[in-house]
Amino acid sequence: MLNELILLRHGESEHMLKGVVGGWTNSTLTPRGITQAKQTTKWITEKTGNEFTKVRQLRELNNGVAKDLSKAWLIT
């Protein structure tokens, strides 16, 4: 029986560094983001004793036409 749900967001990605909106885009993780993902997965597995499961149905927001626009532009 599931009694705990841990939600994670991906590690640092290229679009985050560029300051643009992502959403459903397939932005590449940076080397730092890859390290973050591996460390987080290892930590969760060790602490919970459970395997890491990726659930595709739990996705970020679809930002539609805002995809790849600068975050600064969205504020103006």
Side-chain angles (χ1 to χ4, degrees), residues 42-60:
K42 181 180 177 188
W43 184 84
I44 289 175
T45 302
E46 290 174 355
K47 296 292 182 188
T48 66
N50 295 318
E51 291 184 29
F52 181 83
T53 303
K54 180 179 177 181
V55 179
R56 187 150 181 83
Q57 291 85 352
L58 297 174
R59 297 171 60 167
E60 290 190 54

Side-chain angles (χ1 to χ4, degrees), residues 28-48:
T28 305
L29 292 180
T30 64
R32 179 178 182 212
I34 293 168
T35 299
Q36 291 170 331
K38 288 179 180 178
Q39 289 174 341
T40 303
T41 301
K42 181 180 177 188
W43 184 84
I44 289 175
T45 302
E46 290 174 355
K47 296 292 182 188
T48 66

Side-chain angles (χ1 to χ4, degrees), residues 10-23:
H10 56 75
E12 181 182 77
S13 64
E14 293 291 336
H15 79 269
M16 291 168 65
L17 290 182
K18 292 177 184 174
V20 297
V21 175

